[in-house]
Amino acid sequence: MRISSPLATMAALFAILFAAVPSRAADENKLEVFSWWTSGGEAAALDALFNVYKKQNPGVEIINAAVAGGGGSAARPVLQTRLAGNNPPDTWQTHPGFELMGQYVDPGYCEPVTDLYKSNGWDNAFPKELVINLMSKDRKIYEVLAGVHRGNVLWYNAKLLEKNGINVGPKMTFDQFFAACDKLKAAGIPALGVGDSGIWASAQLFENTLLGVIGPKGWSDLYSGALQWDDPKVKEAIKLFARMFDYVNPDHSALSWDQAIKELMEGKVAFSSMGDWADGEFVAAHWKENEDFGWVSHPGTDGSFMVVADGFTLAKSAPHKEAALAWLKTVGSKEAQEAFSSLKGSIPARTDIDRSKFDAYHQWSMNSFVKDKLVASCVHGEAAPAAFQQALNDAVTAFIVDKNVDDFANTLVEAARETQTKK
Ligand code: GAL
């Protein structure tokens, strides 16, 4: 048996230690970006961001750590595991508001990026109501926005509606919507395309319907606790939501949101209520605005803009911090904002971009952002803590099966009491 000297033991120990710690030098020309952008339109838009980055930072290898699944329902748990295990990507996609603050800033997973705003002169380039209200804590900013989606849009297959004698005006009431649904049903067509294999898609249909009934003032009252989830108005929205399920595609629970949009393009369904990432799918398919497809605010929601903003963070102790800072600088640049949103369906978060570069849908959404009331989405993490967002998803799952209005409302009253009061 060999007995090693203390010196040899120490040398062996050092060897093990240095082998275990990856050499930063070998890795330094890399950047790991985490998101859930994998559908046709999403991936194309993410690629556009990558291309601008590569142009501005030649030689940096991008690791695309995207996890598939709309709304981030599969990605966010993966990210939490990585963050808790001290294995962060350099930067990740997040919604501002409760999601950014509750899941990433408060637990200490992010570093502020306030200096980037100063050094790039961004202080007046991004809308203050988003940067100050939803992305800052103790006067430090924690996110750079890539784009702003409008959540409350009703998309339609224009030729299919025309064939069925249905005319859509500049806005739509619930009565008009259901009249169109009845016409389509009589023609044997499921009117409303839903793809809720990720339940958030149905939760979003409910969220849009709720906004259509209670309006933007009711929305802020609901999330501040001034309006209760069992208020007769909320119940009216729940009943309308139930009624919509008389007209949905029978395969809805087997489809993802983008597969539902595909059914719309194939003429299998006529409408889909979805955030304007759906526009990214139409763009990717080279579908023509106002010829192949059209859009209108989700019934009752004209005058409101449901904000679903997307941005990126800087990880605390990011493995490639310089590359990550350069990434955030790219994301906030005019060039990237214009390239990304044209393909993603969002509008650039910066308000000083060249509007003439955008198509008719984007013009419509940019106008709405300026003149309409902005409300924050709960389904996409902004308006309420993650626990409430989850409770809403669970309540929607149960409701689709039992259609019990009182149970749905009471569950949410209880969830709001448990989670929102802890703000
Ligand atoms: C949202 C996100 C959008 C889009 C959508 C569907 O949460 O903000 O950018 O990706 O999910 O996946």
Side-chain angles (χ1 to χ4, degrees):
M1 193 178 156
R2 260 184 67 201
I3 299 175
S4 43
S5 72
L7 218 65
T9 312
M10 261 174 67
L13 211 73
F14 269 114
I16 292 167
L17 271 176
F18 281 107
V21 177
S23 148
R24 284 275 152 91
D27 272 350
E28 72 194 358
N29 271 343
K30 288 188 179 166
L31 168 75
E32 190 182 11
V33 180
F34 186 98
S35 78
W36 58 85
W37 289 335
T38 58
S39 77
E42 290 175 333
L46 181 59
D47 239 26
L49 279 186
F50 288 163
N51 288 337
V52 180
Y53 181 81
K54 282 184 209 150
K55 216 168 76 186
Q56 295 173 353
N57 303 274
V60 181
E61 184 198 331
I62 298 177
I63 303 162
N64 180 359
V67 173
S73 38
R76 272 178 279 109
V78 172
L79 179 59
Q80 280 300 334
T81 305
R82 290 191 56 175
L83 296 175
N86 198 19
N87 174 30
D90 295 300
T91 180
W92 60 88
Q93 173 198 353
T94 183
H95 301 115
F98 277 91
E99 186 174 310
L100 170 68
M101 293 301 161
Q103 296 184 50
Y104 309 124
V105 175
D106 290 346
Y109 294 139
C110 292
E111 272 184 29
V113 293
T114 325
D115 288 349
L116 273 178
Y117 280 73
K118 294 214 163 58
S119 55
N120 290 292
W122 289 347
D123 282 339
N124 295 315
F126 290 93
K128 289 232 165 14
E129 57 269 55
L130 301 186
V131 175
I132 308 294
N133 300 347
L134 297 180
M135 291 156 47
S136 307
K137 190 183 174 190
D138 301 331
R139 304 175 72 92
K140 291 183 187 132
I141 308 171
Y142 285 90
E143 184 172 2
V144 178
L145 289 182
V148 182
H149 282 294
R150 192 181 195 272
N152 52 317
V153 189
L154 186 72
W155 306 93
Y156 55 86
N157 179 319
K159 287 183 180 140
L160 190 60
L161 288 197
E162 201 189 319
K163 210 167 115 197
N164 286 277
I166 296 163
N167 231 319
V168 177
K171 49 179 146 174
M172 193 186 261
T173 63
F174 283 108
D175 283 348
Q176 288 167 329
F177 174 68
F178 284 116
C181 288
D182 282 331
K183 248 188 181 170
L184 290 157
K185 192 171 192 175
I189 302 162
L192 186 58
V194 173
D196 63 357
S197 60
I199 196 62
W200 66 272
S202 271
Q204 177 151 11
L205 178 62
F206 169 64
E207 176 168 87
N208 285 342
T209 304
L210 179 62
L211 177 64
V213 176
I214 65 175
K217 166 82 170 66
W219 195 263
S220 49
D221 286 350
L222 194 58
Y223 285 97
S224 72
L227 183 75
Q228 298 308 306
W229 283 91
D230 57 357
D231 186 273
K233 281 277 175 202
V234 177
K235 289 193 178 173
E236 191 188 322
I238 299 175
K239 284 180 198 147
L240 288 172
F241 175 52
R243 200 169 148 201
M244 288 177 180
F245 273 84
D246 294 343
Y247 303 96
V248 301
N249 45 323
D251 55 352
H252 65 92
S253 62
L255 303 182
S256 57
W257 71 270
D258 50 313
Q259 288 172 325
I261 295 296
K262 194 155 177 268
E263 288 209 341
L264 186 153
M265 292 196 257
E266 288 165 354
K268 291 185 180 154
V269 299
F271 294 104
S272 192
S273 181
M274 187 43 64
D276 54 16
W277 40 93
D279 183 60
E281 301 306 305
F282 297 132
V283 171
H286 305 289
W287 250 34
K288 292 206 180 65
E289 298 179 308
N290 295 320
E291 206 179 304
D292 296 318
F293 74 102
W295 63 89
V296 64
S297 288
H298 182 86
T301 67
D302 181 67
S304 295
F305 187 116
M306 174 83 72
V307 172
V308 184
D310 288 313
F312 286 89
T313 58
L314 172 63
K316 183 162 190 181
S317 312
H320 315 95
K321 187 169 178 185
E322 285 316 306
L325 282 168
W327 165 254
L328 294 172
K329 187 175 170 178
T330 294
V331 168
S333 70
K334 279 190 194 176
E335 188 183 353
Q337 296 257 318
E338 290 170 358
F340 174 76
S341 276
S342 307
L343 300 173
K344 187 69 166 64
S346 49
I347 56 173
R350 285 182 77 141
T351 49
D352 58 352
I353 46 80
D354 182 357
R355 281 186 66 144
S356 70
K357 290 189 177 154
F358 289 88
D359 61 19
Y361 173 71
H362 287 83
Q363 301 291 341
W364 181 85
S365 182
M366 285 188 236
N367 287 340
S368 164
F369 187 79
V370 173
K371 68 175 172 40
D372 291 343
K373 293 266 181 307
L374 305 181
V375 298
S377 164
C378 169
V379 171
H380 297 278
E382 293 162 351
F388 185 80
Q389 181 189 9
Q390 184 61 47
L392 176 62
N393 282 339
D394 293 346
V396 167
T397 304
F399 182 73
I400 289 174
V401 178
D402 66 22
K403 306 278 169 29
N404 188 321
V405 175
D406 289 337
D407 275 2
F408 189 28
N410 294 338
T411 304
L412 295 175
V413 169
E414 193 47 42
R417 192 175 298 139
E418 277 174 14
T419 58
Q420 285 175 297
T421 46
K422 286 188 200 142
K423 260 187 225 176

